[in-house]
Amino acid sequence: MNSVVLAVVGVAMMILGYALYSKFLARRIYRLQPDFETPSHELRDGVDYVPTNKYVLWGHHFTSVAGAAPIVGPAVAVIWGWLPAFLWVTIGTIFFAGMHDLGALWASVRNKGRSIGSLSGRYIGARGRNLFLVVIFLLLLMVNAAFAVVIANLLVSTPTAVIPTWGAIVVALLVGQAIYRLKWSLPLVSVVGVVALYSLILLGDRFPVVLPDTVLGLSASAFWIVVLFLYAGVASVVPVWALLQPRDYINGLQLFIGLGLLYGSVLLSAPTVVAPAYNEAVPEGTPSLVPLLFVTIACGAISGFHGIVSSGTSAKQLDKETDARFVGYFGAVGEGLLALGAIIATTAGYRTIADWEAVYTAFNQGGVAAFVQGGGSIMNAGLGIPPSLSATILATMAVLFAATTMDTGVRLQRFVVQEAAHLMGVNLNKALATVIVLVVALGLTFGAGADGSGGMLIWPLFGTTNQLLAGLTLSVVAVMLMRKGRPVLPVLVPLVFVLVMSVYALVVQLGQFWAAENWLLLVLDVVILVAALWVIVEAVAAMAKARKDTSEHDDDAQVPTAAGEQSSR
C-alpha cells in the first residue's frame, strides 16, 4: 500500500465530513443561532468569560484537546495493523468526535457556560452529577500526571526541544499583548508568532539543553516534572487571553505547518506502508482488537476530554453560537488529521517490515518515539530536512501539544474541585483550589518514587475512562435534544457504541489487573466501572422520561442557512 493513498483518502473523508455532516448537525440537530447571546458576552469577566475571535479560539480549543494522545494512541494501535486504526480514526472523526465536540460546546453555551459535569445534574440528576464528577476528576488526574511525565521524558530524550518548548511561552505572552493590547491584525500576529516559534526550533536544534543527572537533588526528569506543574498552576489562574489563548493559537498554527511538512513529505517521497493491513502475528500478550482498539485510540476518534474542554473553557469564550461548528467540529478534524499523520509515520516511516517489527515487539511499544523516528525519516526523504532537525520539529510539536493540554487540564481540574467543594457547601478561591490540584497530581506522580514514574501508573485506564466520559457526555446531549423534541439518532448510535466498548474494556482490564495483582488499578477500575454503570442507569431513565415529555420550550425560532441567514422552521 502506498502511503499517498492513505493520506489522500483520509484527508478527503475528513474534509467532506466538515463540509457536509457538520453543516447538517449545525442546522438540523443543534440549530445554531447567530443572534443567541453567548456566555462570553452575558457573563463577561475578562478572565474566563472572554468573547474571542473564532480562529484564535479554534487554536486554543484544538491544541487544548490534542495533546500527545492523538499521537500515542494511533502509534500504539497500529500493532493490530494499519487498516483498523485508519478506519476508526477517519469514521470516528466524522461521525463520533466532531458530533460529540460540537454537541458538548452547544450544550454548555445554552447553559451559561456550565461544565458537562454540572449539566449532568440538571439533565440526568443529582446522583448522576456526583458520580460524573468522580469520573471527570480521575480522568483529569490521569491527564495531568501522565502528560507531565511524557513531556519531561521528551525534554530529556530530545534536548533540542527544550529551548522551543519554554521559548514558546514568551512568544505566547507577546502574542496575547499584540492581539488584545496593541490591536495588531490577526494575520500579522500569526506570521510574526510562527516565524518566532520556528526560529526557536532552529535555535534549539543547534543548542540542545542537557541537564545534569541531578538538579536540586532531583533527577533531570523529576526536575522537569516539578517545573511543569508549577508553570501549569500559574497558567491556570492567569486570564485566558494573556497566555492560554495565544499559546494555543500559535501552537495550532505550528501544528498545521508541521502536518503540512509531514503530509508534503509523504506526497513527495510516496513511502510504502510496510506494516500489515491486519496483523495476524501480533506479539504475545497483545490484547484483542475488540474492544481495546476503541479505547487505545481515544483522542483522534472520539474523546471525553474534549467534552470537558468544550464545556469548561471554550464555551466561555465563544463569540457567536454559529462559531461552534468551526471551533468544535473542525477542532476534531484537526486532531483526526494528526492521528492520521501518526498512523502514516509509524507504518510507512520504516524501510522494511523487519525494521517495523523491531519497534513493535510488544503491546504499548511505539508511541511518541516511533512517531518521531518514522515521521523524521519521511520528512528527510521527502523534503531533505536533516534527521536531527526533523526529530526536533516533531518532538517540539508533541511536547507543545502535551503541554497545552496540561495547562488546560489543570485549569479544568480546578473548576471541578471548586464545583465539588460548592456542592459540599464550601467556597474555594482559585488559588486554594489550584494548590489542591497540584498537591494531588504531584502526590500521584511521585508516589511511586523520586523519578516521577507514578504519573504513568494509572495510564492504562486513561483511554477507557476517556471513552466512557465521551459516552456519558453524549447522554447529556441526547437528553437535551429529546426535551426539545429534536432528532437524536446521530447522537444515540455513537453513544451506545462507545459505552458498550468502554464498559467491555473495563471488564477485560479488570481481569488483567487481577491476574497481574495490580491492586491500585484494580480498585480504580472497580470505582470507575461502578460509577459508570450507575450513571448509565440514571441516563437511561432520564432519556426515557425526556422522550415522554418534550414540553421544554425550544427557544430556536429560526434555523440558520448555510450562508448564515435564517429561515423559519
Side-chain angles (χ1 to χ4, degrees), residues 213-220 222-223 450:
D213 292 339
T214 59
V215 182
L216 300 177
L218 299 172
S219 67
F223 174 77

Side-chain angles (χ1 to χ4, degrees), residues 291-443:
L292 267 296
L293 170 71
F294 303 102
V295 297
T296 300
I297 300 180
C299 300
I302 182 172
S303 165
F305 181 70
H306 294 203
I308 306 176
V309 175
S310 293
S311 64
T313 61
S314 299
K316 296 177 175 65
Q317 302 167 55
L318 200 71
D319 183 29
K320 294 191 297 184
E321 190 179 54
T322 47
D323 292 346
R325 177 185 168 222
F326 181 78
V327 174
Y329 195 100
F330 193 64
V333 168
E335 187 172 71
L337 292 174
L338 177 56
L340 176 60
I343 292 172
I344 294 172
T346 54
T347 57
Y350 299 89
R351 292 188 306 107
T352 65
I353 180 65
D355 291 338
W356 183 80
E357 289 177 340
V359 174
Y360 287 88
T361 57
F363 187 66
N364 273 335
Q365 295 298 308
V368 175
F371 169 74
V372 172
Q373 181 183 347
S377 174
I378 292 173
M379 288 171 64
N380 176 251
L383 296 174
I385 300 175
S388 174
L389 182 56
S390 297
T392 301
I393 291 173
L394 294 177
T396 300
M397 186 169 72
V399 168
L400 290 181
F401 279 94
T404 53
T405 299
M406 188 178 168
D407 293 350
T408 304
V410 171
R411 180 180 288 257
L412 290 170
Q413 195 163 20
R414 184 247 297 171
F415 290 155
V416 172
V417 169
Q418 288 179 298
E419 186 173 334
H422 180 71
L423 292 175
M424 294 184 290
V426 178
N427 290 321
L428 292 179
N429 59 35
K430 294 179 181 179
L432 182 55
T434 302
V435 169
I436 292 174
V437 169
L438 296 180
V439 168
V440 172
L442 283 168

Side-chain angles (χ1 to χ4, degrees), residues 224-248:
W224 282 131
I225 290 172
V226 173
V227 172
L228 283 163
F229 271 115
L230 291 176
Y231 157 73
V234 173
S236 71
V237 296
V238 300
V240 290
W241 65 266
L243 178 58
L244 262 65
Q245 276 186 2
R247 174 175 164 84
D248 293 351

